[in-house]
Amino acid sequence: MNDIPAYEPPKVWTWNKESGGRFASINRPIAGPTHDKELPVGRHPLQLYSLATPNGVKVTVMLEELLAAGHKGAEYDAWLIKIDGNQFGSGFVAVNPNSKIPALMDRSGQEPIRVFESGSILVYLAEKFGAFLPTDVKTRAETFSWLFWQMGAAPYLGGGFGHFYAYAPTKIEYAIDRFAMEVKRQLDVLDRRLADNEYLAGDVYTIADMAVWPWYGSLAKGLLYGGGEFLSVQDYKNVQRWTDAIAARPAVKRGRMVNRTWGEPSSQLHERHDASDFETKTQDKVGEPVAS
């Protein structure tokens, strides 16, 4: 750590070089589209534009859970948006001015409604279909508290620990130690909650679990940033129990496959337009390259 040269910030920061690291080529300090590209529209009321990152998985799990619960109006088309510059196309920026996946267009009414930010989409769908969001005041409040806990906590996991541990061009001991400590604290927060509760809101499965599981369930199984051993994730026994229970749900198994472009070909369903696609259009069956 002592070999890192001291950095003196300028009085005014300017963007005059890439920041380095895995995603440097797509990072920029301005918003808006970089090119014209319209989004495709399928036949279902709900049009999802996404990628199977943890934030994307939240929404596909929710949609598959809604369908499994009998909400036929939750049928959806899931279109792949690779985060290699496609998120700056004019059509996508029109749906999400923040240029982040996931983004949803609800075309079930007279006027299309856009919804962006994963937590907002979960709440929108829960209220639209009256599902996975309890109606009693206490449990509803608990659900929202854990949902927004995830929104505030995950940037420390992804943009903090994940970036400096796995993606940054230079390993910085201070940064890794700082964010590793915070992520372990977060895991302890979850572990203590789940010691006496089957799910985060209590004894019912809610959008809070759908929001937290893609991030912290993956972390608990060592699937994020190669940091499982480093963080001793196996020590969080209650998180492990909860993670395994949610992963076993059939709708979750389907949801995590949608818009997935890595892993075993049988686990990848690049686009989803019909329930039968899980049986006929995974990459082990179609063998097509990822669409750009």
Side-chain angles (χ1 to χ4, degrees):
M1 182 169 63
N2 295 331
D3 295 334
I4 299 174
Y7 170 65
E8 183 68 28
K11 290 184 178 180
V12 178
W13 183 84
T14 57
W15 184 35
N16 53 22
K17 63 180 183 298
E18 286 191 353
S19 58
R22 180 173 171 181
F23 300 105
S25 64
I26 60 171
N27 290 335
R28 59 192 186 124
I30 54 177
T34 60
H35 59 282
D36 291 329
K37 186 175 183 180
E38 293 302 311
L39 290 175
V41 178
R43 63 188 177 90
H44 295 304
L46 300 176
Q47 299 292 302
L48 178 67
Y49 304 95
S50 191
L51 181 68
T53 65
N55 285 336
V57 168
K58 296 175 193 176
V59 178
T60 49
V61 163
M62 174 62 162
L63 289 165
E64 291 297 329
E65 290 282 12
L66 287 168
L67 291 170
H71 298 280
K72 295 181 180 179
E75 268 295 351
Y76 68 104
D77 292 278
W79 303 94
L80 179 64
I81 299 293
K82 294 167 64 180
I83 51 175
D84 58 359
N86 278 285
Q87 72 272 36
F88 300 123
S90 58
F92 188 77
V93 174
V95 181
N96 186 353
N98 197 36
S99 293
K100 306 287 185 182
I101 63 91
L104 179 76
M105 286 295 292
D106 182 355
R107 297 178 175 274
S108 61
Q110 291 185 341
E111 182 179 358
I113 297 173
R114 75 176 187 184
V115 193
F116 59 92
E117 294 297 324
S118 58
S120 177
I121 295 173
L122 291 180
V123 173
Y124 179 83
L125 293 172
E127 292 183 337
K128 179 180 177 71
F129 293 101
F132 303 111
L133 181 57
T135 56
D136 69 280
V137 174
K138 181 178 180 180
T139 313
R140 184 181 179 88
E142 196 73 25
T143 300
F144 278 127
S145 292
W146 286 106
L147 173 65
F148 285 98
W149 176 87
Q150 187 277 317
M151 301 299 149
Y156 291 97
L157 170 55
F161 174 76
H163 176 77
F164 286 106
Y165 184 78
Y167 300 143
T170 303
K171 301 297 184 187
I172 302 173
E173 182 181 1
Y174 171 80
I176 293 173
D177 284 351
R178 169 68 180 85
F179 288 110
M181 182 183 297
E182 171 60 14
V183 171
K184 287 183 70 67
R185 188 194 69 81
Q186 292 175 2
L187 285 168
D188 194 42
V189 169
L190 288 174
D191 206 60
R192 290 170 184 265
R193 172 62 181 173
L194 293 167
D196 301 313
N197 296 276
E198 184 176 4
Y199 299 107
L200 289 173
D203 60 359
V204 292
Y205 174 61
T206 70
I207 56 173
D209 301 288
M210 297 179 203
V212 175
W213 179 83
W215 282 101
Y216 294 88
S218 295
L219 180 67
K221 294 303 176 183
L223 301 177
L224 282 186
Y225 315 120
E229 182 179 7
F230 182 73
L231 296 171
S232 301
V233 293
Q234 72 281 353
D235 294 345
Y236 303 94
K237 302 300 184 184
N238 301 309
V239 175
Q240 293 289 340
R241 184 271 307 162
W242 168 83
T243 295
D244 290 341
I246 293 178
R249 297 177 66 92
V252 172
K253 292 179 180 180
R254 292 191 297 273
R256 71 190 309 183
M257 295 170 63
V258 179
N259 299 142
R260 185 178 176 89
T261 61
W262 56 88
E264 291 295 323
S266 60
S267 74
Q268 300 181 35
L269 182 62
H270 290 178
E271 292 184 359
R272 187 268 192 211
H273 303 290
D274 188 83
S276 63
D277 292 347
F278 291 101
E279 302 298 327
T280 62
K281 294 186 178 179
T282 52
Q283 280 304 104
D284 59 318
K285 296 182 174 67
V286 299
E288 298 174 354
V290 179
S292 60

